[in-house]
Amino acid sequence: MRLGLAVAPALVLAAACSPRIEPMAPEPPAPSIAAPTLSSDGYGPIRIGMTPEEASAAFGHPLQLNGERVNDCASYVLDPGVEPQAMRFLAIGGRLARIDDHGSEGVATNEGISVGASAEAVRAAYPGVLEGPGEHYPPTTTLTAWTGPGQSGYRFHIYDGHVTGIAAGTEAIQLTEACS
């Protein structure tokens, strides 16, 4: 018994003299890198009104001609492997006039509307949205929201009650297929 009483103070003294080990703080979460928003003014650093070359420099990746030029109109895409792959850029007169998104992950408008959102969500986010017939079969509808009367805005393509594509930019959002 005396041996146990003699060992206890030694253990307390050893514990008091040893360096204190603090518990490790948890690692902070990695910062979330959100995709830029799609607005009637552009996408991230790409602005409506830029030349394709200016847009390429601003985004840090070249816009590639997608098909042939038709009169003064051309469609551009990003290189394979560069996100967002479901985005298209339309230039009229050598300047970006419209940006289309067909389902790029994480891409949404300033009001939070992305491909897959309901038509009701579009109507709630953009009061006064104009509804019209779609151009594609099976029957679709379009919801157009002007952010600057007749000058800039969004056109949401709706199928089966959900957004299947978003066009953002100038009055070029009203074009059916790229340059027509």
Side-chain angles (χ1 to χ4, degrees):
M1 189 94 172
R2 286 184 187 241
L3 184 60
L5 290 176
V7 172
L11 290 175
V12 169
L13 183 60
C17 294
S18 62
R20 181 174 167 106
I21 299 174
E22 294 291 327
M24 289 186 66
E27 287 278 327
S32 173
I33 300 173
T37 58
L38 177 62
S39 76
S40 59
D41 296 324
Y43 174 74
I46 299 174
R47 312 311 303 156
I48 296 295
M50 286 181 161
T51 66
E53 295 76 21
E54 291 168 337
S56 295
F59 196 61
H61 297 284
L63 299 182
Q64 300 296 320
L65 187 63
N66 185 30
E68 295 183 24
R69 293 179 197 277
V70 177
N71 296 323
D72 208 13
C73 184
S75 179
Y76 294 84
V77 295
L78 291 168
D79 282 334
V82 176
E83 294 299 329
Q85 278 295 297
M87 208 166 258
R88 303 291 178 265
F89 305 87
L90 181 71
I92 298 175
R95 302 242 171 230
L96 294 184
R98 183 174 94 191
I99 301 173
D100 292 290
D101 180 49
H102 298 284
S104 301
E105 187 174 337
V107 174
T109 67
N110 291 331
E111 293 74 19
I113 302 297
S114 60
V115 170
S118 70
E120 291 77 27
V122 173
R123 289 183 187 99
Y126 302 95
V129 70
L130 305 172
E131 187 162 346
E135 303 87 14
H136 303 287
Y137 186 84
T140 60
T141 58
T142 60
L143 298 175
T144 303
W146 293 107
T147 56
Q151 299 171 1
S152 61
Y154 300 99
R155 189 169 199 197
F156 301 93
H157 298 275
I158 309 294
Y159 173 70
D160 198 25
H162 291 87
V163 176
T164 59
I166 303 170
T170 68
E171 66 276 353
I173 63 173
Q174 297 177 91
L175 296 173
T176 303
E177 292 292 334
C179 298
S180 61

